[in-house]
Amino acid sequence: MSYQKEKEAESNYDLMTNTPIQDKEAEGDENLERGNWSNHLDFLLSCVSYAVGLGNVWRFPYLCYSNGGGAFLIPYCIMLCFAGMPLFFLELSYGQYSSRGPISVWQSVPLLRGVGYGMVVTSGIVAVYYNVIITYCIFYMFKSMTKSLPWVGCDHEWNSEYCSEIYDDCIKEGGIITNDNLCQQVANMTMEEKADYNITEDGSLENYVDPFALSRSRPSEDFYRYGVLQDSGDAGNFGHIVWQLALCLLLAWTIVFICLARGVKSSGKVVYFTALFPYVVLTILLVRGLTLEGSIDGIIFFIKPRWELLANPKVWKDAAVQIFFSLSASWGGLITLSSYNKFHNNCMRDAIIVPILNCATSIFAGFVIFSIMGFMANKLGKDVSEVVEEQFGLAFIAYPEAVAQLPISPLWAFLFFFMLITLGFGSQICIVETVVTSVVDEFPQLLRKWKPLVLFAYCAFAFFFGLLCVTQAGNYWVILMDKYAADFALLIFGLCECIALGWLYGYKRFTNDIRTMVGDRIVDNVFFKWWPLNWCALTPAVLSFVLLFSLISWRPPTAGTYEFPVGCHVFGWFLVFCCLIWIPVVMIYEVFVRASGSISERVLDAIHSRDSWGPDLPAHRREAVETHKANGTEFSGNPDYRSPRISQGTEMKNRSGNESV
């Protein structure tokens, strides 16, 4: 029998058509012990749901507008090709080949196993505050179930004395706001009083200036700060737990637990809704937005190119950062999701589809947001730039205020926040799965059967830790964790991945790992060489540029005009430390504790893959050995290694499947 036929028989896979033999789709799970996605669409939608998150709706549109409008799409697409898709493909291949989580997968290059621990710690921290943001959305959704939206008007108990509609209503009634913040009718004022306020004798207010203009706050801002957050005004003044938010937080974590209780079998079905429903709502909102007066002005403001800004390095840095973070690279989540794939899934196809869809979603969301912002600016008689805000301000202040201007406003508000909830849960479910899978994969024999209990323990821990973020100072800590926890660390993780697999493990060996999964036809294509070129040179260069530029231009983060005290920044850097410390600690352990011999021998031993590295199933392991042998590289693990995670029943199933072919 020829090598080609032997390989097909052993792997139950047709390399010529790049599809499984028999029904072209293997029935049931390949890996009975660990489980697989029910079908490929489950995995693809999970990746879409994970990558397409809240940042696509509230961060990208603002970045695009502030960095050159339509011109920003040029560096954005370039960074997608040089940084986004290469890392995306690297992580999908890495997890699928080994069927391991982000910690165990580093059996390939033990020296950098600390990167895996760092990814899990980062995901664990992010999951805590990300669910708090979802909590805000849940609270707003419930508050939208009313005839009159609570963020409209200045007659609520949470409105400040400087609420802007007090001024607007006073002017409409023929009055002005005095220095005592009272409304006084112009007709009742003396000539001297009019002169004091720059009012002409005939009562013209052309030169009149509101004495509290700089202190005015919009009703939607008052509702967010004092009605939702009950903001204490200082990160150190925790006050009390906002019980309404605490209940919403409990609901959020309960939903996460239910969605993940049965592993990828349950989460794979949830993503059909969390991945697809936001597109339905975005389309509805766009159609409605385009019918509003002034919407075209907002869209033009969004896409109008300002070419001169492309000469600014910050624009390119922002494009790289947005691509990097919006694709959720280096969090460990992509490794986790792909680890449940069947071994011969075409992960390169997925690594092209999902990033392109993610970027298209960001642009689509920009049209939706700015069509509504254009309408709002037109109605208020302001420039679009005066009503656009970033991130939290856009989601919880500017957009709710814009929706309030629409007919049947509660319906549109409900749809908008329900969409944000589904976007948030789509990412959150994958983040939590990453943490839990990583822990279980480290101790498979002990924890595999107790995975739901591990999930419950983490959800409970994250809920109680998250209560800090629903106190009266909670929003400051959410912002602080968002600015520190998922910033420098992720760039360093991505850089380490490229160095580990491109240089230490070897791009040729990694390419042949991929060849084992997708076949010769794809890997031998001339265009495939684009991937190793990026892994070894271009992507590390881009990440190094972004990291260096970020460090040089770093400024202490603020919460609007509020400057965090020193203690908060110490806490922020402590989070960074917790994420990164694993890299040097594991290096020291691998070189000076576990290994023996001279320094060079110790380092080489720490770089060399463990016996356990390689495909999880014996049939796929034998196939990998033959693929490496036929293509001039050496299989890095032990060919005869049998994973303790694979039960005898699993191995017998694979043997019988191969024999039947």
Side-chain angles (χ1 to χ4, degrees):
M1 184 182 290
S2 68
Y3 168 71
Q4 179 86 356
K5 295 297 182 182
E6 286 178 358
K7 196 169 182 183
E8 288 178 359
E10 203 166 60
S11 64
N12 200 26
Y13 196 76
D14 184 348
L15 297 180
M16 294 300 294
T17 61
N18 195 35
T19 54
I21 296 175
Q22 296 176 327
D23 297 328
K24 303 299 182 183
E25 182 67 38
E27 295 291 335
D29 291 346
E30 286 181 340
N31 193 327
L32 295 181
E33 190 73 19
R34 197 171 187 273
N36 297 106
W37 296 104
S38 298
N39 56 69
H40 176 254
L41 191 58
D42 286 7
F43 165 70
L44 194 64
L45 290 179
S46 294
C47 286
V48 171
S49 190
Y50 181 46
V52 178
L54 296 173
N56 295 75
V57 174
W58 69 22
R59 178 166 170 79
F60 174 81
Y62 180 87
L63 272 181
C64 190
Y65 135 71
S66 61
N67 284 296
F72 181 69
L73 296 180
I74 294 177
Y76 187 68
C77 292
I78 290 176
M79 292 303 173
L80 171 65
C81 295
F82 286 100
M85 285 197 291
L87 266 179
F88 204 92
F89 183 31
L90 181 146
E91 293 199 356
L92 291 192
S93 305
Y94 204 19
Q96 181 175 308
Y97 179 75
S98 61
S99 299
R100 288 172 170 84
I103 296 177
S104 300
V105 77
W106 287 95
Q107 297 294 327
S108 58
V109 188
L111 182 69
L112 289 173
R113 187 161 47 92
V115 174
Y117 287 106
M119 288 178 172
V120 175
V121 171
T122 301
S123 294
I125 294 171
V126 169
V128 172
Y129 75 78
Y130 200 79
N131 230 20
V132 175
I133 299 173
I134 296 174
T135 294
Y136 298 160
C137 297
I138 293 174
F139 184 84
Y140 268 85
M141 184 187 70
F142 285 141
K143 285 294 185 178
S144 299
M145 299 177 183
T146 178
K147 291 183 178 180
S148 178
L149 294 174
W151 53 83
V152 175
C154 291
D155 54 350
H156 304 285
E157 60 180 350
W158 53 75
N159 288 122
S160 68
E161 58 180 326
Y162 300 118
C163 183
S164 61
E165 286 197 8
I166 295 176
Y167 170 81
D168 296 336
D169 293 341
C170 180
I171 296 296
K172 290 178 182 178
E173 294 172 2
I176 65 163
I177 297 295
T178 66
N179 292 328
D180 297 324
N181 199 29
L182 299 174
C183 183
Q184 183 174 348
Q185 294 296 310
V186 175
N188 298 331
M189 297 177 68
T190 65
M191 296 300 296
E192 290 80 7
E193 289 175 326
K194 290 181 179 179
D196 289 341
Y197 291 99
N198 295 322
I199 302 173
T200 61
E201 294 182 7
D202 61 358
S204 172
L205 302 181
E206 183 178 353
N207 296 320
Y208 166 73
V209 177
D210 178 12
F212 300 97
L214 297 178
S215 301
R216 293 289 173 203
S217 58
R218 290 177 276 178
S220 57
E221 184 179 356
D222 280 351
F223 177 71
Y224 176 58
R225 287 176 58 86
Y226 307 116
V228 180
L229 304 177
Q230 299 183 25
D231 191 352
S232 66
D234 183 73
N237 183 9
F238 291 97
H240 60 267
I241 293 176
V242 182
W243 67 269
Q244 298 95 328
L245 291 181
L247 289 178
C248 290
L249 181 64
L250 179 61
L251 175 62
W253 278 112
T254 301
I255 292 173
V256 170
F257 177 77
I258 292 173
C259 291
L260 288 172
R262 293 184 61 242
V264 295
K265 299 301 182 187
S266 56
S267 65
K269 301 305 179 236
V270 172
V271 296
Y272 280 83
F273 182 75
T274 61
L276 298 177
F277 180 75
Y279 291 99
V280 176
V281 177
L282 283 172
T283 302
I284 294 173
L285 291 175
L286 179 61
V287 172
R288 182 67 182 102
L290 291 176
T291 64
L292 300 172
E293 186 177 358
S295 61
I296 300 301
D297 296 332
I299 290 175
I300 291 175
F301 185 83
F302 169 55
I303 64 174
K304 183 180 179 181
R306 299 187 294 281
W307 303 107
E308 67 279 2
L309 291 181
L310 293 183
N312 187 348
K314 180 181 178 297
V315 174
W316 293 82
K317 173 257 189 181
D318 285 347
V321 169
Q322 178 60 18
I323 280 290
F324 188 77
F325 290 111
S326 69
L327 290 179
S328 302
S330 299
W331 296 71
L334 296 175
I335 296 174
T336 300
L337 294 177
S338 63
S339 71
Y340 291 105
N341 271 339
K342 293 184 178 180
F343 188 74
H344 290 295
N345 172 62
N346 187 346
C347 51
M348 188 182 79
R349 172 196 56 203
D350 301 333
I352 295 174
I353 293 174
V354 176
I356 291 177
L357 184 59
N358 175 73
C359 295
T361 303
S362 296
I363 297 170
F364 184 50
F367 280 95
V368 175
I369 296 299
F370 275 88
S371 66
I372 303 293
M373 292 296 104
F375 161 73
M376 180 180 174
N378 179 272
K379 192 166 182 78
L380 298 178
K382 297 180 178 180
D383 189 79
V384 179
S385 62
E386 296 181 58
V387 298
V388 174
E389 297 195 39
E390 183 184 10
Q391 292 187 249
F392 295 100
L394 176 63
F396 301 119
I397 298 175
Y399 203 87
E401 184 176 352
V403 168
Q405 312 291 330
L406 297 172
I408 326 178
S409 54
L411 172 63
W412 302 110
F414 177 86
L415 283 176
F416 176 72
F417 286 109
F418 191 45
M419 177 193 68
L420 290 185
I421 290 169
T422 55
L423 282 172
F425 274 130
S427 298
Q428 177 72 353
I429 287 170
C430 297
I431 294 172
V432 174
E433 177 66 28
T434 298
V435 177
V436 175
T437 294
S438 300
V439 174
V440 171
D441 277 356
E442 279 295 282
F443 310 99
Q445 293 177 300
L446 178 65
L447 297 179
R448 179 75 65 201
K449 62 180 179 180
W450 302 109
K451 186 175 180 180
L453 187 60
V454 176
L455 171 65
F456 177 80
Y458 175 73
C459 289
F461 165 80
F463 166 72
F464 286 110
F465 191 76
L467 289 176
L468 169 73
C469 299
V470 293
T471 62
Q472 291 181 277
N475 186 54
Y476 297 105
W477 295 93
V478 170
I479 294 173
L480 195 70
M481 287 191 284
D482 183 53
K483 297 293 186 181
Y484 278 101
D487 197 352
F488 297 116
L490 297 181
L491 294 171
I492 293 173
F493 295 158
L495 191 59
C496 288
E497 284 182 304
C498 291
I499 294 172
L501 294 179
W503 292 94
L504 301 182
Y505 184 73
Y507 75 89
K508 290 183 179 179
R509 180 179 292 154
F510 189 53
T511 297
N512 284 331
D513 289 347
I514 298 172
R515 184 191 301 273
T516 310
M517 296 185 291
V518 303
D520 295 336
R521 180 175 58 85
I522 292 178
V523 175
D524 288 338
N525 190 295
V526 65
F527 294 107
F528 189 89
K529 299 184 185 302
W530 170 254
W531 302 110
L533 175 64
N534 277 277
W535 297 330
C536 294
L538 301 181
T539 302
V542 170
L543 294 179
S544 298
F545 159 73
V546 174
L547 181 61
L548 183 62
F549 192 93
S550 298
L551 289 170
I552 293 174
S553 60
W554 186 85
R555 298 291 182 274
T558 60
T561 58
Y562 175 79
E563 295 186 0
F564 289 103
V566 175
C568 289
H569 293 298
V570 171
F571 174 77
W573 283 110
F574 175 72
L575 293 180
V576 177
F577 174 82
C578 289
C579 296
L580 294 178
I581 188 59
W582 300 97
I583 298 177
V585 166
V586 171
M587 280 184 173
I588 292 172
Y589 170 79
E590 290 290 340
V591 174
F592 296 103
V593 177
R594 197 199 62 81
S596 59
S598 65
I599 292 295
S600 60
E601 290 173 338
R602 289 169 181 264
V603 172
L604 288 175
D605 184 65
I607 292 174
H608 192 272
S609 302
R610 296 285 181 265
D611 287 347
S612 58
W613 169 247
D616 220 15
L617 299 181
H620 298 148
R621 201 173 189 88
R622 292 193 297 270
E623 184 182 349
V625 171
E626 293 299 324
T627 300
H628 281 280
K629 183 178 180 181
N631 290 277
T633 56
E634 181 182 355
F635 178 73
S636 194
N638 183 345
D640 300 320
Y641 180 81
R642 291 292 182 268
S643 171
R645 296 185 300 169
I646 304 302
S647 65
Q648 186 177 1
T650 305
E651 186 168 352
M652 289 176 64
K653 177 179 182 291
N654 280 275
R655 284 178 180 171
S656 62
N658 291 335
E659 289 168 1
S660 66
V661 177

